[in-house]
Amino acid sequence: MVVGASTSTKIPMMKLATWNLCLGLKKKKDQVIDILRSEKIDICCLQEADIENDYPKELLASKDFKIECEKNNQKARTVIYVKNNVKYVRRTDLEGIGNGIVVIDFKSLKDYRLINLYRVFNPQNGRTPTENFIAQLQLIKNAITQDPSKNIIITGDFNLDDSKKFAIDYHNHNLFNHLIEVFDPLGLEQLIDFPTWERVTIHGVKNSTLDHIYVKDCTLISTISSVKPNFGDHLLITFNLQGNELNQEIILKRNWQNYSKEILINKLKDINFSNQISSVQSMCQNITVSSQKMTPVIKNKINQRNRLLKKLKISHNSVLKGRINNLNCEIKLHFTQIKKRKIRLGIIPGNNKSLWDSVKIAKDLNAQTIPKNMTLNDIEIDENDRPDAFASFFKNKITNIVNESRININVYNGTNKMVIPDKNFVSELNIREVISSMKTKNCEGYDRIPQRIIIDGIEFLAKPLTALLNQIYISKQIPEQWLIAKVIPIFKKGKQNQIENYRPIANLCSTSKIFEKLILKRLNDIETQTFIDLTNKSQHGFKKNHSTNSAALKLQSVLARALDGNNYAAMASLDLSAAFDVVNVELLLARLRRIGLPNDLIVLIGNWLSLRYFYVSVGGLSSIVHSLDVGTVQGSILGPILYAIFVSPLFDLADMTKFADDNFVIKCNKHIANLITDMKKTLEMIIKWLKDSGLKVNDSKTELCVFHRADIRPITIEINGFQVKSNLTINVLGVIFDSKLQWGPQVENAIKKSNRAKHAIMLIKKYFNKNELKMLITSNFYSILFYNCDVWLIPSLKPQLKKQILSASAKALFMITPNFNNSISHDQVHSLNNRATPNQIMIFKHAILLYKIWNEKVHSKEWMALNFQQNFNERNNTVNVFETNNLKVGKNLPVNRLKLINGLINYEWLNLSANSFKVLCKREFLMNK
């Protein structure tokens, strides 16, 4: 739903362009239109459009561009796109038929005449190339001399290298002589002085200035520049033209407040999709529905108040003043409600950043995530250049990593695990299933089709989508739109005005996500069919029953078991630079084949990953399009599992735990010297394999922590000439592990981070009622305070730390506690607000931990330990577990901690589904009774 407004305004210039498409417009139409929109071009002259005479030209127009095609009985090779708000007259009387020329006169500008020309190598009219060019020049001469007052602009691909205009040995020298003979007396001057065509050949890179722009008055043209499109050998040449008053359409934004599923369905009923399955964009271009404008009730009240104020100046009376005061209250209330709605809708549960964005709205601060004044390498970037600066930074970062790395052809690529035949997995049933699993979002990719439209319109879109995706499966051809990613820069940390502190997140086409989900479903079905985990059980990222929690629990289990045996343990964390973005596609496909995945999947994945492009969007502006031939597509659905499969052979070589691209290695030994040697050897082997696979380990971010029950001195390990010194703590996926597993630093970190969220909630609490505040505290304060607390909020935690957690939890509830005073205990504060205390949460979390261990969803050694550490009693059907630790640090072991819930969990509960068990435990342990 695009809200548009048409305004008449004085504009200083109009933007024109000329572009040789190379081999036709029909299949590239959607991409061409999108580039014209992103570059804000008003008129574009195209060459090599190659449109057959009987082809319906209206299909090549768009909602904001008209198209004027060359008159030709066979194939039109030149066309002009003109924006709807530009007034012009087509001059077919000056063109003839089949001459490769289109002429238009502008009505909204000064007396301008635009001529678009394409000099062909093989004329369709039976003339020789020279005869045809002479005829074209004569037509141009006639068009100029017939109206000598006109300001002439001639653009096009002349297929003449202007840099060799006066070279005697140039093979087209005679054609230049004919051109000079006509153009010089007319005072026409060529303005392009840089190469516009480039091609890589076996002899190197060739370039030429084949695209020309001729004018009589150079002062009326400014800012000639070029854009490298994502296809073809020619640059898109743009220039600005002085203009008069124009009616410009101002696109504001999608107004989702006026959207409804019913309106969408009514619109979809009128669309015939039967002939639109060859192009995703063609099929979906009419899906986005224009919404009706809202009735401006508040504007009427403002106008009414202004009229009354004028009357009040003339005649002071209490009645007028009362009406004005009432209107002021209504207007203020209206804008307060709008502000309140923005604040409330902007908060995402568990997202601290969105919480602070809402605070900025409440305080009328600038909530813009990307500042206007940005720097790159300490050089200030102009506001309009931000998208290109971000795009160049992202592209150069990837390019530099790829150039530094070298794939080792002998690198270990894993073993064969299966033999799976091809199978067409595209069906309407599967498509409906994957669409139903998609989240209802308003964000959009290159095709500008939000996921909400696909989900809400499924009943009408299921069949055409099935036809389209079946065609893709059969042909193995990926639509061009799907290969273009709209990248949004996301701030990481550091100074917000430095481009180096941002990472790219890609918004992809909604229909492409359906394709990705179908492939992911096929991969999951193969895992179920073969009982093989394609990414290895030690990979915890983006998998069912796996999370940062399962990864942290496994690492805690290994460390606690080692320390309980009076061993030293060392854990290293390896950070990879842009891991997803630099994956070598050919090596990935080789590993997919090595595993034994079906060939149809491999071909589809390979085509989906190849010939990709991206552009960056910032503040309504877009960068030029960049090509990208590496990576698993950041932000995609398939990206995580493809990356995980890519690195899965490493598990055959080393015992490690991974979450996506976070890598953790643990080594244990009775002797510290042997521990250092073993860790050094293992890390060097892992880093070499990663490097041989084209990945780069960020040495400066490699962390090391040595664990032992007693105090130990820091150690240093030298890895490939880089020294890594051990710390007393290490960050494991957001949880701070300390060297003795006592969890003091983690408690401090959890309280500190959650208090920032509490402060934000206090700043906006007036916009929420008590129950809403209670939910906000739960979702945006407790989610931080108790993040992965089943790892560190353990029965053996020091009493002082437990008091600190209880105090922090209670203080967040003070703001919603009625008649609060300091005599109320922290436990009473929780009871008054019907909120669980940290101790209740600890009991609940350990009940869930028992269920996970019982059902083998935690480290396998814990499941084995649980089988040996139960006290079975025929008269008692509840779970009872005894401790087996040798040292106090052994109380960290998940099974040893289950003593906390002895006698509280019935064995029958463990046979329930995970959700049913969780609901039962919430009712039993979290409800204040």
Side-chain angles (χ1 to χ4, degrees):
M1 285 58 65
V2 180
V3 179
S6 183
T7 62
S8 181
T9 180
K10 290 282 186 181
I11 63 168
M13 58 186 64
M14 177 185 289
K15 193 170 185 180
L16 276 69
T18 180
W19 185 11
N20 183 309
L21 292 177
C22 299
L23 304 179
L25 171 64
K26 290 182 292 185
K27 292 185 178 180
K28 301 171 183 175
K29 174 246 177 172
D30 301 315
Q31 201 167 342
V32 168
I33 293 293
D34 283 333
I35 291 175
L36 299 188
R37 288 172 183 156
S38 65
E39 293 298 325
K40 299 181 179 178
I41 293 170
D42 297 292
I43 299 173
C44 185
C45 298
L46 300 175
Q47 303 86 41
E48 279 200 62
D50 294 349
I51 307 166
E52 291 81 5
N53 185 45
D54 58 350
Y55 188 84
K57 309 296 189 297
E58 63 274 10
L59 294 181
L60 298 173
S62 73
K63 62 182 180 182
D64 47 358
F65 280 95
K66 299 185 182 75
I67 187 169
E68 296 290 348
C69 298
E70 165 201 354
K71 297 296 180 181
N72 198 305
N73 294 328
Q74 298 179 48
K75 183 188 290 185
R77 310 215 66 186
T78 57
V79 303
I80 300 180
Y81 271 121
V82 186
K83 212 166 186 180
N84 287 340
N85 60 340
V86 176
K87 297 179 181 180
Y88 69 95
V89 176
R90 174 73 180 273
R91 297 301 303 271
T92 55
D93 57 308
L94 301 175
E95 302 169 2
I97 298 176
N99 290 311
I101 287 179
V102 179
V103 182
I104 61 173
D105 289 344
F106 302 151
K107 296 175 66 177
S108 53
L109 288 172
K110 298 173 184 178
D111 292 328
Y112 276 102
R113 176 166 291 166
L114 175 64
I115 302 173
N116 180 23
L117 175 144
Y118 178 60
R119 187 187 77 77
V120 297
F121 291 108
N122 299 304
Q124 304 172 32
N125 47 27
R127 302 174 184 147
T128 66
T130 301
E131 291 171 343
N132 194 67
F133 187 50
I134 291 173
Q136 289 179 312
L137 293 175
Q138 189 59 47
L139 285 171
I140 292 174
K141 182 179 179 180
N142 294 339
I144 295 173
T145 56
Q146 187 181 92
D147 296 297
S149 62
K150 292 282 187 184
N151 290 290
I152 301 297
I153 311 157
I154 304 167
T155 69
D157 179 4
F158 281 61
N159 273 313
L160 297 174
D161 189 352
D162 195 70
S163 63
K164 299 177 180 178
K165 185 174 182 178
F166 300 105
I168 299 175
D169 59 345
Y170 181 47
H171 66 280
N172 282 324
H173 178 70
N174 65 316
L175 295 179
F176 262 126
N177 288 337
H178 292 298
L179 183 145
I180 293 169
E181 183 179 343
V182 174
F183 281 16
D184 278 8
L186 296 172
L188 295 169
E189 184 176 351
Q190 152 74 318
L191 299 183
I192 298 180
D193 58 1
F194 54 87
T196 62
W197 172 90
E198 184 177 273
R199 180 175 296 171
V200 178
T201 69
I202 57 174
H203 302 295
V205 177
K206 294 179 62 177
N207 57 56
S208 303
T209 308
L210 302 180
D211 305 276
H212 299 186
I213 298 175
Y214 294 91
V215 294
K216 291 169 66 175
D217 184 356
C218 298
T219 63
L220 297 175
I221 284 184
S222 63
T223 322
I224 297 178
S225 60
S226 64
V227 175
K228 175 61 178 168
N230 50 36
F231 57 81
D233 301 322
H234 288 258
L235 297 177
L236 168 68
I237 312 299
T238 67
F239 56 98
N240 292 324
L241 199 63
Q242 297 298 329
N244 291 328
E245 189 174 276
L246 283 178
N247 290 323
Q248 286 195 309
E249 185 183 20
I250 302 172
I251 303 300
L252 302 176
K253 62 180 181 178
R254 294 184 184 274
N255 187 356
W256 288 104
Q257 290 179 342
N258 295 327
Y259 169 82
S260 74
K261 184 176 179 179
E262 290 71 25
I263 294 175
L264 172 68
I265 290 173
N266 288 333
K267 294 287 185 180
L268 290 177
K269 286 179 181 178
D270 299 331
I271 300 175
N272 180 9
F273 291 104
S274 59
N275 297 319
Q276 297 182 352
I277 61 170
S278 61
S279 164
V280 175
Q281 186 65 16
S282 296
M283 184 190 75
C284 298
Q285 63 185 351
N286 294 321
I287 292 177
T288 305
V289 182
S290 297
S291 64
Q292 298 177 353
K293 294 183 179 179
M294 295 178 65
T295 305
V297 176
I298 194 64
K299 187 175 181 180
N300 294 338
K301 289 185 178 181
I302 293 172
N303 291 337
Q304 185 181 355
R305 182 192 62 181
N306 292 339
R307 289 193 296 270
L308 292 177
L309 284 170
K310 289 180 181 179
K311 289 183 179 180
L312 188 63
K313 290 180 180 180
I314 300 171
S315 173
H316 292 276
N317 65 70
S318 58
V319 176
L320 278 176
K321 197 170 183 179
R323 289 174 63 188
I324 291 171
N325 288 337
N326 290 336
L327 284 170
N328 282 335
C329 291
E330 291 178 20
I331 292 168
K332 183 178 179 180
L333 178 62
H334 171 81
F335 288 109
T336 300
Q337 289 174 337
I338 290 176
K339 187 175 184 179
K340 183 176 180 180
R341 185 166 60 247
K342 286 182 179 179
I343 292 168
R344 293 152 63 94
L345 291 177
I347 297 174
I348 301 171
N351 188 323
N352 206 22
K353 178 183 176 298
S354 71
L355 183 63
W356 279 103
D357 285 343
S358 293
V359 170
K360 289 179 181 179
I361 295 172
K363 298 300 178 182
D364 293 322
L365 300 174
N366 183 13
Q368 187 178 5
T369 55
I370 301 179
K372 291 184 177 180
N373 300 319
M374 300 292 295
T375 64
L376 178 61
N377 299 324
D378 295 326
I379 299 173
E380 191 169 338
I381 305 298
D382 184 84
E383 182 182 353
N384 294 329
D385 295 332
R386 286 183 304 168
D388 284 310
F390 272 110
S392 297
F393 171 71
F394 294 148
K395 178 67 182 287
N396 291 338
K397 182 178 180 180
I398 295 169
T399 302
N400 291 338
I401 294 173
V402 171
N403 290 341
E404 289 174 8
S405 63
R406 291 290 181 272
I407 303 296
N408 187 339
I409 59 173
N410 297 316
V411 66
Y412 176 71
N413 288 326
T415 60
N416 181 266
K417 298 179 180 179
M418 61 187 74
V419 178
I420 304 293
D422 291 358
K423 177 184 177 182
N424 189 341
F425 49 88
V426 177
S427 67
E428 185 174 335
L429 181 64
N430 284 343
I431 288 172
R432 286 179 177 272
E433 181 181 335
V434 299
I435 290 177
S436 66
S437 69
M438 294 170 71
K439 294 181 179 179
T440 303
K441 294 182 178 180
N442 296 337
C443 61
E444 58 193 30
Y446 179 72
D447 58 1
R448 301 203 72 239
I449 302 172
Q451 282 183 206
R452 178 186 293 274
I453 299 294
I454 300 292
I455 295 168
D456 288 351
I458 181 60
E459 291 305 317
F460 292 91
L461 295 174
K463 289 189 182 300
L465 283 171
T466 302
L468 172 68
L469 289 161
N470 259 303
Q471 186 178 1
I472 291 169
Y473 175 83
I474 294 167
S475 67
K476 303 298 186 289
Q477 297 297 311
I478 307 299
E480 291 179 355
Q481 296 98 320
W482 291 7
L483 303 178
I484 302 174
K486 174 185 175 183
V487 170
I488 307 296
I490 301 296
F491 178 65
K492 294 186 294 184
K493 59 182 179 179
K495 293 184 178 179
Q496 202 165 359
N497 68 330
Q498 293 180 347
I499 286 176
E500 297 91 332
N501 294 330
Y502 288 75
R503 62 186 176 90
I505 287 294
N507 285 339
L508 306 177
C509 296
S510 301
T511 39
S512 173
K513 293 178 183 178
I514 301 171
F515 167 80
E516 292 180 63
K517 275 185 166 286
L518 285 173
I519 290 184
L520 182 61
K521 184 179 185 304
R522 174 71 171 135
L523 290 171
N524 291 336
D525 289 345
I526 289 172
E527 287 184 314
T528 303
Q529 173 188 343
T530 60
F531 301 100
I532 293 173
D533 190 327
L534 292 172
T535 61
N536 196 285
K537 292 181 180 179
S538 292
Q539 170 62 263
H540 293 258
F542 309 103
K543 293 166 65 173
K544 188 177 181 180
N545 299 326
H546 290 72
S547 62
T548 57
N549 180 260
S550 62
L553 281 171
K554 177 187 174 182
L555 293 171
Q556 181 192 28
S557 172
V558 174
L559 289 170
R561 206 168 293 281
L563 269 58
D564 192 50
N566 203 25
N567 289 294
Y568 292 95
M571 178 160 64
S573 169
L574 297 177
D575 180 82
L576 299 177
S577 298
F580 283 55
D581 298 324
V582 300
V583 167
N584 182 279
V585 174
E586 288 302 319
L587 187 57
L588 169 62
L589 298 178
R591 289 176 181 173
L592 297 180
R593 285 190 288 268
R594 180 66 174 161
I595 289 172
L597 289 176
N599 187 65
D600 58 349
L601 270 187
I602 295 172
V603 173
L604 283 167
I605 291 171
N607 291 342
W608 182 73
L609 289 175
S610 302
L611 300 175
R612 295 200 68 93
Y613 303 90
F614 79 94
Y615 67 96
V616 173
S617 177
V618 177
L621 300 175
S622 298
S623 72
I624 63 173
V625 178
H626 292 262
S627 62
L628 200 61
D629 56 1
V630 293
T632 59
V633 190
Q634 184 73 266
S636 66
I637 293 166
L638 277 179
I641 190 170
L642 293 179
Y643 172 80
I645 293 175
F646 181 76
V647 297
S648 62
L650 184 55
F651 291 111
D652 296 342
L653 307 177
D655 185 11
M656 57 191 302
T657 300
K658 292 175 68 70
F659 182 87
D661 58 343
D662 290 304
N663 309 271
F664 301 95
V665 182
I666 295 178
K667 289 294 176 182
C668 309
N669 204 289
K670 289 285 185 183
H671 305 286
I672 191 74
N674 293 340
L675 178 71
I676 294 172
T677 301
D678 193 12
M679 178 61 84
K680 172 182 169 65
K681 181 180 177 182
T682 300
L683 289 180
E684 286 180 342
M685 183 273 295
I686 291 172
I687 291 172
K688 182 181 185 305
W689 185 90
L690 292 169
K691 185 177 179 181
D692 288 345
S693 298
L695 301 175
K696 180 184 177 181
V697 175
N698 192 334
D699 294 335
S700 62
K701 293 186 178 180
T702 298
E703 293 185 64
L704 178 68
C705 183
V706 178
F707 297 80
H708 195 261
R709 65 186 183 89
D711 293 332
I712 58 172
R713 297 175 62 183
I715 67 169
T716 300
I717 297 179
E718 185 173 305
I719 308 168
N720 300 327
F722 184 82
Q723 291 188 336
V724 181
K725 186 177 181 180
S726 67
N727 299 311
L728 294 176
T729 62
I730 187 171
N731 190 322
V732 178
L733 305 169
V735 177
I736 307 298
F737 279 56
D738 62 282
S739 61
K740 294 184 179 180
L741 296 184
Q742 294 178 338
W743 306 108
Q746 167 57 26
V747 171
E748 180 184 352
N749 183 59
I751 292 174
K752 184 178 178 180
K753 290 174 69 176
S754 60
N755 278 344
R756 286 199 293 267
K758 180 184 72 176
H759 179 62
I761 294 171
M762 290 182 68
L763 292 174
I764 57 175
K765 67 177 185 178
K766 69 178 183 179
Y767 297 98
F768 300 84
N769 61 38
K770 181 182 176 181
N771 288 332
E772 291 169 339
L773 269 177
K774 195 182 295 185
M775 293 174 62
L776 189 58
I777 291 170
T778 300
S779 62
N780 287 75
F781 172 81
Y782 285 147
S783 63
I784 298 172
L785 182 63
F786 295 110
Y787 171 73
N788 277 345
C789 65
D790 49 354
V791 175
W792 55 270
L793 187 58
I794 59 179
S796 60
L797 195 68
K798 290 181 179 179
Q800 184 60 34
L801 295 177
K802 289 182 179 178
K803 286 183 180 179
Q804 290 177 12
I805 290 289
L806 177 62
S807 174
S809 177
K811 286 178 180 177
L813 297 172
F814 288 172
M815 68 180 87
I816 57 172
T817 304
N819 304 318
F820 171 75
N821 60 72
N822 291 326
S823 65
I824 302 176
S825 71
H826 290 156
D827 284 332
Q828 287 176 312
V829 170
H830 285 85
S831 180
L832 286 171
N833 292 287
N834 195 29
R835 279 295 176 265
T837 64
N839 190 60
Q840 290 173 305
I841 291 174
M842 181 168 61
I843 293 171
F844 169 74
K845 288 291 185 179
H846 280 75
I848 302 301
L849 180 61
L850 167 65
Y851 185 89
K852 290 179 180 178
I853 296 174
W854 183 271
N855 290 281
E856 300 183 71
K857 294 179 181 179
V858 179
H859 190 33
S860 58
K861 286 189 177 180
E862 298 304 321
W863 179 83
M864 295 171 61
L866 179 62
N867 281 279
F868 286 104
Q869 291 177 225
Q870 292 184 62
N871 281 320
F872 293 100
N873 188 325
E874 292 182 358
R875 289 178 296 179
N876 190 351
N877 60 355
T878 59
V879 178
N880 283 270
V881 180
F882 59 86
E883 295 178 348
T884 61
N885 56 293
N886 300 311
L887 303 169
K888 186 176 180 180
V889 70
K891 293 180 180 292
N892 271 274
L893 285 165
V895 170
N896 285 340
R897 293 194 261 128
L898 297 181
K899 183 180 178 181
L900 174 70
I901 55 173
N902 277 350
L904 300 179
I905 305 295
N906 193 299
Y907 276 110
E908 293 180 357
W909 295 9
L910 298 174
N911 295 322
L912 298 172
S913 68
N915 285 336
S916 298
F917 180 83
K918 192 173 183 178
V919 169
L920 186 59
C921 289
K922 276 185 177 181
R923 186 168 64 243
E924 190 69 21
F925 305 128
L926 295 185
M927 301 297 182
N928 285 288
K929 300 174 182 178

